[in-house]
Amino acid sequence: MDLSGGFGARSDGGGATREATGLESLHLGDEFRQLPSDNNAGGGFTPLLELPSTQPVRLLYFTDSSSSSPQAAAVTGISPPQVHSYGTLTFPSNSVLMERAARFSVIATEHQQHGNLSGETATSSVPSNNSSVKTETNSSQVVEKQSNRSGKRKDSDKKARSSTNKKKNKSSEENEKLPYVHVRARRGQATDSHSLAERERREKINARMKLLQELVPSCDKIQGTALVLDEIINHVQSLQRQVEMLSMRLAAVNPRIDFNLDTRLASPNGSLMDGSFNGTAMQVTWPHQVTETEQSYHHHRQLQQPPPQQWPFDGLNQRVWGREENQDHGSDHNSLMVDFTNLHPNQVKAEL
Amino acid sequence: SSMNEEFLKKWQMGLQIFSPSIDNTSVSERKRAIKLSADVAMASLRKGTTCWSRALIQKTATEDNFLVRQMLSGIKEEPLINKKLPKVMCHRKIVRRSKKILMRRKSRSAMEEVAAKKLVKKKTQGLRNVVPGGEFMSSNVLLIQETLDYIISLQTQVNVMKSIVDAAEAGIER
């Protein structure tokens, strides 16, 4: 029997599924025996105490009435409630189960579709709404995409995992499949769902802060969140300022802003279009070519026909500054192209 | 370093959009063109998956819509508005007073804790101001994640630009 299903706990989908046959054979003794194994080491019977008092009673009622098969069959599904002869009990176990499922099933499944980031924020706020009946809480983590994208996030996943390692949970690590993660309370820690959820959030934040600390070199040795944040802000600002400075320098370097580098530096061996270009891994495109082929902005590859007959060129190893050469071409004096032919390709490649 | 190369490609593509227009003769014009195309290039590398990238693209779109459209046309549709609306700004004094009432009488250590938390809050607000789209990030977790990604991208941008500039300046000296 699945009383554990009733706790909305580990089974997939978080729905309340019970087996009809199990119900019929339900004994209170089973119920009590199951609970200690489900819940944390700290409280053998505390979860029992947290059970709504009517639950055992209701279950009793149900078993009494379980002789009729339609009722039994109907429990498994989300059936329309029937009125019992016991007054207000309308499929008591079912409603309790559904209540629980509603409370604990994280609405992550809806939110998950919104995309990883917004989903994460939405679902992380859900646990705060949970009531504190259970010792187990479900909180959702929709961080997989982030974690998958950059391997650096593995740390935060590991952190989440290690925090659940002490418990006997099985399904918590499957972030990608399950909509929520089960976290058990550790010994001696507050067990209500609010604080558990808060603690999870705190752990998440701390894990990411650690990553940040590793990334930003200057805040390795600093203790304290505020100072670390300070350093991070400074770092970001300095990077932004650097971008400004570099773009200013680049603009000042020469009057033309456009540069044409073949970006096929990706190819390991470097593709050489012409044998005369010794030792260069880079193709160079010439400015007047670009003006002619304005249509092909987005197609770099089309612009790579160096006109050797026009430019006496001894191979790119010589740094011939584009400006000088452009003056030879009357057509160019209106153009705003520059070519960084002088860019030593190996240098650039190495720096990249 | 494939990211470096992708960034370089996109940046170049953006710069070429400016090439026909001859107004770019002043240094500041050129610098603006360079910077904007670099920013969009950097943001488009993320393909809309991160909040900061979307916010950055939108910011540059307000400065140069044409550029953004051209640069992103080959890749995807323009990213839509940020999904999260900005936080509701509560009147600070009222919030502060209500918090004081709630605090009642706490021990000294609790007061220090509260002060520390305030400080952290201020810093996180500062971080939100710096990271593009920070105001739209509703949770601290998200903020820090985005900051991480943003820093990495910024670093890439700086590295590539630096190498180009260094090479260009070195060439001039000859």
Side-chain angles (χ1 to χ4, degrees), chain A residues 230-249, chain B residues 31 35 39 130 150 154 157-158 161:
Chain A
D230 240 354
E231 281 301 320
I232 292 172
I233 292 177
N234 287 340
H235 191 239
V236 170
Q237 280 176 334
S238 86
L239 283 175
Q240 287 172 339
R241 264 180 272 137
Q242 275 185 34
V243 169
E244 294 266 343
M245 286 298 302
L246 285 172
S247 57
M248 179 70 75
R249 278 166 68 187
Chain B
K31 172 232 170 197
K35 178 168 190 298
D39 282 345
V130 183
Y150 183 55
L154 268 180
Q157 189 184 22
V158 164
M161 290 179 81

Coordinates of all heavy atoms in Angstrom, one line a residue, chain A residues 230-249, chain B residues 31 35 39 130 150 154 157-158 161:
Chain A
D230 N 30.3 44.2 -2.6 CA 31.0 45.4 -3.0 C 32.0 45.2 -4.1 O 32.1 45.9 -5.1 CB 31.7 46.0 -1.7 CG 31.2 47.3 -1.4 OD1 30.4 47.9 -2.2 OD2 31.6 47.9 -0.4
E231 N 32.8 44.2 -3.8 CA 33.9 43.9 -4.7 C 33.3 43.5 -6.1 O 33.9 43.8 -7.1 CB 34.7 42.7 -4.2 CG 35.8 43.1 -3.2 CD 36.7 44.1 -3.7 OE1 37.1 44.0 -4.9 OE2 37.1 45.0 -3.0
I232 N 32.3 42.8 -6.1 CA 31.7 42.3 -7.3 C 31.2 43.5 -8.1 O 31.4 43.6 -9.3 CB 30.5 41.3 -7.0 CG1 31.1 40.1 -6.5 CG2 29.7 41.1 -8.3 CD1 30.1 39.1 -6.0
I233 N 30.5 44.4 -7.4 CA 30.1 45.6 -8.1 C 31.2 46.4 -8.7 O 31.2 46.9 -9.8 CB 29.3 46.5 -7.1 CG1 28.0 45.8 -6.7 CG2 29.0 47.9 -7.7 CD1 27.2 46.6 -5.7
N234 N 32.3 46.5 -7.9 CA 33.5 47.2 -8.4 C 34.0 46.5 -9.6 O 34.4 47.2 -10.6 CB 34.5 47.3 -7.3 CG 34.2 48.3 -6.3 OD1 33.3 49.1 -6.5 ND2 34.8 48.2 -5.1
H235 N 34.1 45.2 -9.6 CA 34.6 44.5 -10.7 C 33.8 44.7 -12.0 O 34.3 45.0 -13.0 CB 34.6 43.0 -10.4 CG 35.4 42.2 -11.3 ND1 34.9 41.2 -12.0 CD2 36.7 42.3 -11.7 CE1 35.8 40.6 -12.8 NE2 36.9 41.3 -12.6
V236 N 32.5 44.6 -11.8 CA 31.6 44.8 -13.0 C 31.7 46.2 -13.5 O 31.8 46.4 -14.7 CB 30.1 44.5 -12.6 CG1 29.2 45.0 -13.7 CG2 29.9 43.1 -12.3
Q237 N 31.8 47.2 -12.6 CA 31.9 48.6 -13.1 C 33.3 48.8 -13.8 O 33.3 49.5 -14.8 CB 31.8 49.5 -11.9 CG 30.4 49.8 -11.5 CD 30.3 50.6 -10.3 OE1 31.2 50.7 -9.5 NE2 29.2 51.3 -10.2
S238 N 34.3 48.1 -13.2 CA 35.6 48.3 -13.9 C 35.6 47.7 -15.3 O 36.2 48.2 -16.2 CB 36.7 47.8 -13.0 OG 36.9 46.4 -13.3
L239 N 34.9 46.6 -15.4 CA 34.9 45.9 -16.7 C 34.1 46.8 -17.7 O 34.5 47.0 -18.8 CB 34.2 44.5 -16.6 CG 35.1 43.4 -16.1 CD1 34.2 42.2 -15.9 CD2 36.2 43.1 -17.0
Q240 N 33.0 47.4 -17.2 CA 32.3 48.2 -18.1 C 33.1 49.4 -18.5 O 33.0 49.9 -19.7 CB 31.0 48.7 -17.4 CG 30.0 47.6 -17.3 CD 28.8 48.0 -16.5 OE1 28.9 48.9 -15.6 NE2 27.7 47.3 -16.6
R241 N 33.8 50.0 -17.6 CA 34.6 51.1 -17.9 C 35.7 50.7 -18.9 O 36.1 51.5 -19.8 CB 35.3 51.7 -16.7 CG 34.5 52.9 -16.1 CD 35.1 53.4 -14.9 NE 34.7 52.7 -13.7 CZ 35.5 52.4 -12.7 NH1 36.7 52.6 -12.7 NH2 35.0 51.7 -11.6
Q242 N 36.2 49.6 -18.7 CA 37.3 49.1 -19.7 C 36.7 49.0 -21.1 O 37.4 49.4 -22.1 CB 37.8 47.7 -19.3 CG 38.9 47.8 -18.2 CD 39.4 46.4 -18.0 OE1 39.4 45.5 -18.9 NE2 39.8 46.1 -16.8
V243 N 35.5 48.5 -21.2 CA 34.9 48.5 -22.5 C 34.8 49.8 -23.1 O 35.1 50.0 -24.3 CB 33.5 47.8 -22.4 CG1 32.7 47.9 -23.7 CG2 33.6 46.3 -22.1
E244 N 34.4 50.8 -22.3 CA 34.3 52.2 -22.8 C 35.6 52.6 -23.3 O 35.8 53.2 -24.4 CB 33.8 53.1 -21.7 CG 32.4 52.9 -21.2 CD 31.4 53.7 -22.0 OE1 31.8 54.7 -22.6 OE2 30.2 53.4 -22.0
M245 N 36.6 52.5 -22.5 CA 38.0 52.9 -22.8 C 38.5 52.3 -24.1 O 39.0 52.9 -25.0 CB 38.9 52.6 -21.7 CG 38.8 53.4 -20.5 SD 39.2 55.2 -20.9 CE 40.8 55.0 -21.5
L246 N 38.3 51.0 -24.2 CA 38.8 50.3 -25.4 C 38.0 50.7 -26.6 O 38.7 50.9 -27.7 CB 38.6 48.8 -25.2 CG 39.5 48.1 -24.2 CD1 39.2 46.7 -24.0 CD2 40.9 48.2 -24.8
S247 N 36.8 51.0 -26.5 CA 36.1 51.4 -27.7 C 36.5 52.8 -28.1 O 36.6 53.2 -29.3 CB 34.6 51.3 -27.6 OG 34.2 52.1 -26.5
M248 N 36.9 53.6 -27.1 CA 37.4 55.0 -27.4 C 38.7 54.9 -28.1 O 39.0 55.5 -29.1 CB 37.5 55.7 -26.1 CG 38.0 57.1 -26.2 SD 36.9 58.2 -27.1 CE 35.7 58.5 -25.8
R249 N 39.5 54.0 -27.6 CA 40.9 53.8 -28.2 C 40.8 53.3 -29.6 O 41.5 53.8 -30.5 CB 41.7 52.9 -27.3 CG 42.3 53.5 -26.1 CD 42.8 52.5 -25.2 NE 44.0 51.7 -25.7 CZ 44.5 50.7 -25.1 NH1 44.0 50.2 -24.0 NH2 45.5 50.1 -25.6
Chain B
K31 N 33.2 55.8 -31.6 CA 33.2 55.1 -30.4 C 31.8 54.6 -30.0 O 31.7 53.4 -29.6 CB 33.7 56.0 -29.3 CG 33.6 55.4 -27.9 CD 32.9 56.3 -27.0 CE 32.6 55.6 -25.7 NZ 31.6 56.3 -24.9
K35 N 31.1 50.7 -29.6 CA 30.6 50.2 -28.3 C 29.2 49.5 -28.5 O 29.0 48.4 -27.9 CB 30.5 51.3 -27.3 CG 29.9 50.8 -26.0 CD 30.1 51.8 -24.8 CE 29.8 51.1 -23.5 NZ 28.4 50.7 -23.4
D39 N 28.3 45.7 -27.7 CA 27.3 45.3 -26.6 C 26.3 44.3 -27.2 O 26.0 43.3 -26.6 CB 26.6 46.5 -26.1 CG 27.5 47.2 -25.1 OD1 28.5 46.7 -24.6 OD2 27.1 48.4 -24.8
V130 N 23.9 48.0 -11.5 CA 25.0 47.9 -12.4 C 24.7 46.8 -13.5 O 25.0 47.1 -14.7 CB 26.2 47.4 -11.6 CG1 27.4 47.4 -12.5 CG2 26.5 48.4 -10.5
Y150 N 27.0 37.6 -16.6 CA 27.3 38.9 -17.2 C 28.8 39.2 -17.0 O 29.4 39.7 -17.9 CB 26.5 39.9 -16.4 CG 26.7 41.3 -16.9 CD1 26.5 41.6 -18.2 CD2 27.1 42.4 -16.1 CE1 26.7 42.9 -18.7 CE2 27.2 43.7 -16.5 CZ 27.0 43.9 -17.9 OH 27.2 45.2 -18.3
L154 N 31.3 39.9 -20.0 CA 32.0 41.2 -20.1 C 33.5 40.9 -20.2 O 34.2 41.6 -21.0 CB 31.8 42.0 -18.8 CG 30.7 43.0 -18.7 CD1 30.7 43.6 -17.4 CD2 30.9 44.0 -19.8
Q157 N 34.3 40.1 -23.7 CA 34.2 41.3 -24.6 C 35.5 42.1 -24.4 O 36.1 42.5 -25.4 CB 33.0 42.1 -24.2 CG 32.7 43.2 -25.1 CD 31.6 44.1 -24.5 OE1 31.2 44.1 -23.4 NE2 30.9 44.8 -25.4
V158 N 35.9 42.2 -23.1 CA 37.1 43.0 -22.9 C 38.3 42.4 -23.5 O 39.2 43.1 -24.1 CB 37.3 43.2 -21.4 CG1 38.7 43.7 -21.1 CG2 36.3 44.3 -20.9
M161 N 38.3 42.8 -27.4 CA 38.5 44.2 -27.8 C 39.9 44.6 -27.5 O 40.6 45.3 -28.3 CB 37.5 45.1 -27.0 CG 36.1 45.0 -27.5 SD 35.0 46.0 -26.6 CE 35.2 47.6 -27.4

